[in-house]
Amino acid sequence: MRDTVRSTATKGAVSRNPGIDLLRGLAIVLVVFNHLGIRIPLEKSALADVLPTWLLNRLNWNGYEAVYVFFVISGFLIAGNALRRWGSLAAIDPRAFYARRFARIVPCLLALLAVLSVLHLLGVQDYVIHRAGQSLPGALLSALGLHLNWYEGHTGYLPGSWDVLWSLSIEEAFYLGFPLACLLLRRRVLLVPLLVLLALSLPWARAALHGNEIWLEKAYLPGMAAIATGVLGALLADACRPPRRTALLLGWLGALGLVAVILDGWAMWHWLRDGYMLLLTFSTLCLLLCCQWRAEAGGVSPLRGFGWLRSWGRMSYEIYLTHMFVVFAVIRAYHALDGHPARGWLWYLPALVSCWVLGAAVERWFSVPCERRLRMRLSGATHCDAVR
């Protein structure tokens, strides 16, 4: 979810991949729908009179799966960027790698933590940390120390705007060790088998965690398995260029698998148990490979009418970090002005628009300028290299 890499049609030209942005946009919209649906379920609205209940449920309950889509995309793009920048993962420059991650992640994270701390100290409802065993210093330390998921697993859920940081803990913990592992192992013949084992461990890691709801959702190993899947995809995309028909077939297979999980996740669980998460991650990977290979062949043109969704993908990090402010505000307004479940669906559109506007404002006025300046200072990048 939180990467600065953009797919390229050639190794020398940098441009956004519209297919990958579209996939990220879909994922972040599903996350927002999930957090709205917990509080205003679509199945209890008037939409249930015209749309099947199962469809409304799936619109509301795919937020967790959407985060795993982000994990795969993140591994694919960040490893792909490293391959284009340094030629191989064995040649990765840890200083430059960490500088880029720091510039992208830390400014928005620190700003969010500062705002959340002020809201907690002011006693603003929905933002006060109140569970036994939890405190503001503890939450801050866990967020900055990349173990907020572990903190929640031992103390319970934090307020929603804090809770979204669990995925960041997993992702950035992976990337702390990633360049070091690449330098230590050096050869693909050593690195790839370990990545394959990690990627395939996803269902077994989840199965071992049943019984602890929070850990089942937020443990390190399953999330890192999804990121490893993306890294493997980047290595595969770098190693071969299949025929156009093969890439298209892979894309269709990926789309079918992803649709199966999103629209009928319960059936996938019934048939595959925790293996349905492998279907999700490898279907996402198939779509990413298709998008990458078609872009390199010059065969990608953005789908008309979906520019708005691609813009969600471009700003996925900013929207992910800030969308709970909108969700809480919309829920408060909903209960204050109406509160009737049948009309709850009417609040989704203004919530989505507000999430986009807030994300766009943060991107334009804060995250992009901060990232540009930090990259130039930390890695000596030129102005051109510092622009996303």
Side-chain angles (χ1 to χ4, degrees):
M1 171 181 320
R2 291 161 291 280
D3 54 83
T4 61
V5 183
R6 293 166 295 179
S7 298
T8 61
T10 67
K11 291 195 174 186
V14 179
S15 60
R16 297 200 73 93
N17 187 304
I20 295 177
D21 274 342
L22 193 67
L23 187 57
R24 285 198 295 188
L26 174 63
I28 189 61
V29 168
L30 288 174
V31 168
V32 175
F33 264 68
N34 180 218
H35 290 150
L36 285 169
I38 291 171
R39 299 158 178 89
I40 312 178
L42 287 175
E43 64 174 323
K44 295 183 179 180
S45 73
L47 287 181
D49 296 332
V50 294
L51 294 174
T53 302
W54 66 266
L55 176 59
L56 298 177
N57 275 326
R58 298 318 297 162
L59 288 174
N60 278 155
W61 302 112
N62 273 302
Y64 175 72
E65 288 80 2
V67 171
Y68 272 72
V69 171
F70 278 124
F71 283 152
V72 180
I73 295 173
S74 174
F76 185 83
L77 292 178
I78 290 177
N81 178 69
L83 289 167
R84 287 187 292 273
R85 182 172 293 272
W86 293 292
S88 75
L89 295 183
I92 196 169
D93 180 349
R95 180 180 179 274
F97 181 89
Y98 292 137
R100 291 173 66 84
R101 296 307 298 160
F102 185 92
R104 176 58 174 151
I105 299 302
V106 171
C108 282
L109 175 61
L110 291 180
L112 175 65
L113 294 179
V115 172
L116 293 178
S117 297
V118 170
L119 293 174
H120 166 82
L121 294 172
L122 292 176
V124 178
Q125 195 169 3
D126 298 322
Y127 299 96
V128 176
I129 299 169
H130 57 80
R131 286 182 182 271
Q134 294 182 350
S135 65
L136 178 60
L140 287 170
L141 180 62
S142 67
L144 294 171
L146 305 181
H147 63 277
L148 186 136
N149 54 334
W150 181 91
Y151 187 72
E152 286 194 313
H154 285 78
T155 64
Y157 289 106
L158 286 161
S161 292
W162 290 88
D163 176 64
V164 299
L165 295 175
W166 70 270
S167 62
L168 187 65
S169 292
I170 294 173
E171 197 171 347
E172 296 313 312
F174 181 94
Y175 292 125
L176 278 178
F178 177 65
L180 302 180
C182 293
L183 291 175
L184 286 172
L185 297 172
R186 301 196 67 80
R187 299 174 62 188
R188 288 193 183 190
V189 70
L190 298 176
L191 179 62
V192 169
L194 291 178
L195 288 170
V196 170
L197 287 174
L198 180 55
L200 294 178
S201 73
L202 176 53
W204 288 274
R206 278 180 50 84
L209 294 167
H210 283 285
N212 185 325
E213 178 186 357
I214 298 179
W215 240 168
L216 177 64
E217 292 181 355
K218 304 179 179 183
Y220 284 106
L221 188 56
M224 290 183 175
I227 300 172
T229 303
V231 176
L232 284 169
L235 290 169
L236 180 59
D238 181 66
C240 65
R241 300 292 184 273
R244 180 175 179 273
R245 289 184 178 180
T246 302
L248 285 174
L249 176 61
L250 205 61
W252 279 109
L253 290 174
L256 288 173
L258 196 61
V259 168
V261 173
I262 290 176
L263 293 186
D264 207 353
W266 293 114
M268 296 300 104
W269 165 256
H270 178 74
W271 293 332
L272 302 173
R273 296 299 177 181
D274 287 294
Y276 93 102
M277 291 299 291
L278 273 184
L279 176 62
L280 173 72
T281 55
F282 280 90
S283 295
T284 302
L285 179 58
C286 287
L287 281 169
L288 293 173
L289 288 170
C290 176
C291 291
Q292 178 75 8
W293 283 329
R294 291 195 65 201
E296 290 174 350
V300 173
S301 57
L303 291 176
R304 293 184 178 180
F306 287 92
W308 64 275
L309 191 55
R310 290 192 294 272
S311 70
W312 277 73
R314 189 191 73 240
M315 302 183 297
S316 57
Y317 180 47
E318 289 82 1
I319 294 175
Y320 184 78
L321 289 188
T322 61
H323 75 277
M324 288 305 300
F325 294 111
V326 174
V327 170
F328 285 140
V330 166
I331 298 305
R332 290 289 166 193
Y334 162 70
H335 287 296
L337 300 176
D338 185 3
H340 197 289
R343 292 184 288 274
W345 67 276
L346 294 171
W347 293 84
Y348 275 66
L349 181 57
L352 290 172
V353 172
S354 299
C355 285
W356 187 93
V357 170
L358 180 57
V362 171
E363 181 198 44
R364 179 173 182 179
W365 303 111
F366 185 76
S367 67
V368 169
C370 287
E371 182 182 356
R372 182 182 296 120
R373 294 190 187 100
L374 281 172
R375 282 194 182 181
M376 294 177 70
R377 291 183 179 181
L378 293 174
S379 60
T382 64
H383 174 76
C384 183
D385 181 56
V387 178
R388 291 193 300 171

